[in-house]
Amino acid sequence: MFDPTIYENLKVVIEGAVYDLDLEGQIVVTHRSDLIDLAVMSRCYIIRYRLKDSRSTAEIRLSAGLVDLAGEKMEWKNALPGCKLDVVFSLPLRNPESACRNIQDILQQLWETNPTIVQTLSYRYGDDGSRCLNEIGVHFDRKIGEGQIEDIPDLLEHTLRTLRQLEPYNLEE
């Protein structure tokens, strides 16, 4: 009989919880992908969504590499299989110098578990940089497993709260 991996179980729970929010009308799912990289034998699941009437997005990225998958399937005695989970927020903004400081403070308050928060700004060559795209990565420094499945609704609630807090910084065109 087929025994799903930690990655597959987490992916199903995350996907179901996100689509439940979409069906309730709280969010709109805008993208999803489930990738297998045969060169390094890894898997990555990405689902992106936004609040209704908003351009800011949240993206959940779940990934597992060869060592995690093999350690779990082969039941290696010292293996600590699990998945990497990252959340990435994306929004167009104006005046990045002041906005990014405020955004950093907001995210550090909202994400109490002290993940690493990295903001990456990009703009088109030739523009003055006063308008740009801000990708805000919330990176957790540990793997997750099936023991954290019950935390998924809280994680999604945090992403919704973050999207609401980021909305005033969203560049209106």
Side-chain angles (χ1 to χ4, degrees), residues 42 64 68 98 132 143 154 167 170 173:
S42 67
D68 293 309
S98 61
C132 62
K143 294 180 196 177
D154 289 339
E167 191 56 30
N170 194 349
E173 294 196 86

Side-chain angles (χ1 to χ4, degrees), residues 61-141:
R61 298 177 182 173
L62 180 71
S63 60
L66 176 61
V67 172
D68 293 309
L69 296 170
E72 179 181 359
K73 284 298 194 184
M74 302 296 290
E75 298 178 4
W76 293 341
K77 98 175 147 176
N78 292 328
L80 298 170
C83 297
K84 183 171 176 21
L85 179 81
D86 293 307
V87 180
V88 178
F89 298 94
S90 181
L91 70 151
L93 59 85
R94 191 185 322 255
N95 302 320
E97 275 304 311
S98 61
C100 288
R101 273 192 298 275
N102 294 338
I103 288 169
Q104 191 77 18
D105 291 340
I106 289 168
L107 266 73
Q108 286 174 336
Q109 289 174 7
L110 287 173
W111 295 85
E112 302 159 355
T113 59
N114 295 322
T116 303
I117 298 168
V118 177
Q119 296 186 64
T120 304
L121 305 175
S122 61
Y123 61 94
R124 195 173 301 180
Y125 175 75
D127 290 350
D128 63 5
S130 65
R131 296 173 171 219
C132 62
L133 179 67
N134 188 1
E135 287 195 353
I136 308 152
V138 178
H139 308 286
F140 302 95
D141 60 354

Side-chain angles (χ1 to χ4, degrees), residues 12-52:
V12 166
V13 171
I14 290 169
E15 186 173 48
V18 169
Y19 276 108
D20 283 348
L21 292 173
D22 185 79
L23 286 171
E24 292 169 6
Q26 292 189 50
I27 64 169
V28 175
V29 174
T30 60
H31 175 78
R32 127 185 184 315
S33 63
D34 192 357
L35 308 171
I36 298 173
D37 186 337
L38 296 175
V40 294
M41 297 305 292
S42 67
R43 295 194 60 188
C44 182
Y45 176 73
I46 299 168
I47 189 159
R48 184 182 313 134
Y49 52 93
R50 63 176 173 76
L51 299 172
K52 286 188 169 208

